[in-house]
Amino acid sequence: MPANVLWTPQDGTRFDVVVVGSGSAALAAALTAADGGASVLILEKSHRIGGTSAMSGAGTWIPNNHHAKAAGIPDSEEEALAYLHSASPAGWDQHEAELWGSFVRNAPDLLQFLEAKTPLRFELLSEPDPMAEREGGKAQGRMLSPYALSRRILGPLAGKLRRSTLPHIFTYGDMIALDPYHHPIRAGLKRLPVLIERVLTDTRGQGSALMTGLLKGCIDHGCRLGLGIGAKDLVLDDTGAVIGVKLDDGITIEARRGVVLATGGFEWNPALFEQHFPGGAERIGSPRANTGDGQLMAKRAGAKLDRMDQANVHPCLPTIYEGKLHGLPMTFQAEPCAIVVNARGVRFASEYDYNLGEALDRRDPATGKPANLPAWVIADSTFLTRSLPFRWYALKHKGWIRKAPTLRTLARKIGVPTDALEATVARYNHFARAGHDEDFHRGETVWERYKSKGGKGPYPNPAMAPIEKPPFIALSLNRSVLGTKGGARTNARGQVLRVDDSVIPGLYCAGNAMANPIGTRALGAGTTIGPCMTWGYICGKSLLADNR
């Protein structure tokens, strides 16, 4: 590692580009700008590098990519755009079509750029689009994730990389092939020599590999890193253009060509989160540094904030992170012998649907509050035998598992109407024996068939089995969040817009700090990382082209 990577204000306060944040969107922007010859400073207010991206599984959704082409899987810009239009919520195309087009054009170039300019190499995965049946959807070819990398290539900065709650000793590909959530011992034995080598060489996959590669690329291209240094505000000139950043200690850094805000979401800002997500969250799975700094700075600079009610809503197990209760993303509810019901004791979505989080977050038009919360996983005793890791993590939340000898007793324990719950379970059990979910078609879509393909048993649909073996159990399954996805409204070049849609010169935004054109409804299992990095890449290119 070059001796001058870490920056302090004593080292000078003039740069071409200042990037606020150190997640995947931030480092993609920094790398792109630095590769184009700009001097770049990356500011990270915490003492850990990588943001939410470093904690993630690093599923990377990139349509029309070169790895799919090499594998003989056809795709095109036209098909990707058709999918974005057909799978997104109604009316979103009126505001997001231009941004979707920019993403689809730039995403394949970003992937090739990363593999050319960093040690990152991406693996094509077998996962389908969650709504592959929609126009333009694909059963394979758009999901990738990085191969494992040794953190030692970062030198002393390796110890500063943010750690994850997920088992990054495995790659995303390993997680798919081995299923350590259900078979941890078998998975460990099958990869034992590889896992030993990874431990000895400090090699990791998923978000650790992604951020190791991105950071190494930034270091090699001369980027400077201000670690533990927070940005307090943006500096504007007399015309309203952004010309720098003011730090928490009052020092001003000049940004000759522009500032990129890539500070992540605002899920750890209680007041702001409650404003846009009434009722709060059961668990949060991102770093506690995500307090909406970028959104608030942009607003003070005159930016229009939009999509503030959107988030990556995903089931989370309880875990401990940095000494505090935290969320670990895991679709633990997707078991054959389990259903999810709302406070009325009725199902409201397929439990295997990748976008179950959208259903959990669905708002009552009259009150703006979640319509299906509180929600509960209802299962029988078989559920507790299916995953040893589940039992381990459940211990982190004392009293989370509630048991009863009958469904009626269980319903009374959780405050759900007894007759409704019994009727719901009886109806589901009928569907399970018949092999067809008449209400939500569980296990029938391309995605749900893929996720349940390992299921075994005497019933015709591997995603379904009757709930009938006492004791019966209930687990709360309320809204858990991996990151909000609202912020400054941008144009297709990543430039931040004012309320009147005019451009704020010198200000760019990417990732979860922007009004993300892919909101709560996930269009791919990696529709956070891939688009976020692409928007960082777009911001970097725009900065270079604007050449103030």
Side-chain angles (χ1 to χ4, degrees):
M1 182 185 76
N4 64 342
V5 170
L6 290 177
W7 172 90
T8 65
Q10 289 74 26
D11 297 328
T13 56
R14 298 185 66 190
F15 291 86
D16 292 326
V17 177
V18 176
V19 178
V20 189
S22 69
S24 60
L27 296 196
L31 176 63
T32 306
D35 182 64
S39 60
V40 179
L41 173 64
I42 303 162
L43 293 175
E44 170 54 56
K45 75 172 184 179
S46 78
H47 291 277
R48 292 288 180 265
I49 306 162
T52 309
S53 302
M55 299 183 70
S56 75
T60 305
W61 192 76
I62 301 287
N64 195 30
N65 65 79
H66 63 281
H67 288 292
K69 286 182 169 63
I73 301 172
D75 200 356
S76 66
E77 287 186 14
E78 292 74 19
E79 288 175 289
L81 278 173
Y83 180 64
L84 285 162
H85 279 265
S86 66
S88 296
W92 273 53
D93 56 339
Q94 299 176 28
H95 303 282
E96 311 299 351
E98 186 179 3
L99 276 71
W100 291 340
S102 185
F103 162 67
V104 166
R105 289 190 300 273
N106 284 280
D109 294 341
L110 158 81
L111 190 65
Q112 291 186 307
F113 173 78
L114 293 181
E115 293 192 329
K117 302 295 182 178
T118 78
L120 287 168
R121 299 295 179 267
F122 286 82
E123 175 184 13
L124 189 65
L125 303 174
S126 58
E127 285 189 333
D129 290 339
M131 290 169 278
E133 295 82 2
R134 302 286 182 99
E135 182 183 359
K138 293 289 179 181
Q140 190 182 358
R142 291 172 175 168
M143 268 296 291
L144 308 105
S145 193
Y147 287 103
L149 276 177
S150 172
R151 292 184 290 220
R152 290 180 182 173
I153 63 175
L154 297 176
L157 281 182
K160 300 293 185 182
L161 197 68
R162 182 171 290 283
R163 273 27 180 190
S164 178
T165 55
L166 294 168
H168 284 181
I169 192 74
F170 295 105
T171 65
Y172 198 120
D174 292 335
M175 298 292 285
I176 291 174
L178 302 175
D179 190 11
Y181 176 71
H182 289 105
H183 308 288
I185 297 173
R186 186 178 73 185
L189 291 175
K190 280 193 173 183
R191 283 286 195 275
L192 187 59
V194 172
L195 298 181
I196 291 173
E197 181 183 6
R198 287 176 184 169
V199 170
L200 294 175
T201 59
D202 197 22
T203 296
R204 296 294 185 271
Q206 303 184 67
S208 293
L210 179 69
M211 300 314 297
T212 294
L214 282 172
L215 185 57
K216 184 64 164 65
C218 288
I219 292 169
D220 290 346
H221 283 75
C223 296
R224 305 290 300 278
L225 177 65
L227 195 58
I229 298 175
K232 181 179 181 180
D233 222 338
L234 299 168
V235 179
L236 281 62
D237 66 13
D238 293 341
T239 69
V242 173
I243 57 173
V245 173
K246 182 178 290 185
L247 304 182
D248 287 339
D249 60 8
I251 293 175
T252 296
I253 305 172
E254 181 182 346
R256 291 184 288 256
R257 296 174 75 163
V259 173
V260 180
L261 295 176
T263 53
F266 57 87
E267 58 275 8
W268 287 102
N269 183 322
L272 193 59
F273 189 78
E274 179 63 29
Q275 179 183 346
H276 298 286
F277 294 85
E282 184 166 48
R283 300 187 185 100
I284 298 177
S286 64
R288 285 171 170 78
N290 289 6
T291 55
D293 299 353
Q295 288 85 345
L296 296 175
M297 285 191 285
K299 184 177 181 180
R300 289 193 293 270
K304 176 183 180 180
L305 300 188
D306 204 0
R307 303 298 188 200
M308 295 291 282
D309 61 348
Q310 301 295 299
N312 186 352
V313 181
H314 195 284
C316 283
L317 290 171
T319 190
I320 303 298
Y321 185 69
E322 297 179 339
K324 297 179 180 180
L325 194 63
H326 207 81
L328 184 155
M330 190 64 63
T331 54
F332 63 89
Q333 83 292 338
E335 299 287 2
C337 54
I339 59 173
V340 177
V341 302
N342 59 23
R344 298 184 298 279
V346 298
R347 296 172 68 213
F348 53 90
S350 167
E351 293 77 6
Y352 278 67
D353 188 344
Y354 189 79
N355 278 298
L356 177 63
E358 183 183 21
L360 289 168
D361 188 52
R362 189 174 297 140
R363 313 294 176 88
D364 183 330
T367 65
K369 295 182 178 180
N372 288 313
L373 301 185
W376 301 90
V377 176
I378 304 297
D380 68 11
S381 59
T382 310
F383 182 93
L384 298 177
T385 68
R386 293 186 60 84
S387 171
L388 182 61
F390 172 84
R391 297 294 297 270
W392 169 257
Y393 287 111
L395 294 174
K396 311 296 182 183
H397 185 162
K398 187 177 181 180
W400 184 41
I401 299 176
R402 306 191 191 189
K403 299 181 182 180
T406 67
L407 287 170
R408 294 190 73 83
T409 304
L410 186 68
R412 286 193 290 268
K413 279 191 173 184
I414 62 175
V416 168
T418 54
D419 290 345
L421 183 61
E422 284 189 323
T424 296
V425 171
R427 182 173 175 82
Y428 171 77
N429 288 349
H430 170 72
F431 294 159
R433 292 188 178 93
H436 173 56
D437 177 3
E438 295 178 16
D439 293 336
F440 301 105
H441 303 282
R442 174 164 150 176
E444 297 177 18
T445 66
V446 172
W447 173 266
E448 295 189 24
R449 289 199 305 271
Y450 173 83
K451 296 306 289 185
S452 63
K453 63 178 181 286
K456 297 179 181 179
Y459 303 102
N461 185 336
M464 302 175 71
I467 300 168
E468 57 188 3
K469 297 178 181 179
F472 299 96
I473 68 168
L475 312 162
S476 62
L477 181 69
N478 295 316
R479 180 172 53 198
S480 290
V481 171
L482 305 183
T484 59
K485 301 184 77 173
R489 169 58 68 179
T490 68
N491 61 18
R493 300 183 67 245
Q495 296 171 302
V496 174
L497 304 179
R498 298 186 177 94
V499 176
D500 63 3
D501 290 332
S502 63
V503 169
I504 300 178
L507 186 59
Y508 305 78
C509 194
N512 283 357
M514 70 187 289
N516 204 296
I518 299 174
T520 300
R521 181 179 298 177
L523 306 185
T527 45
T528 300
I529 295 291
C532 285
M533 286 197 296
T534 302
W535 283 107
Y537 176 68
I538 291 168
C539 289
K541 290 205 308 177
S542 296
L543 276 161
L544 295 171
D546 291 343
N547 194 27
R548 287 199 302 162

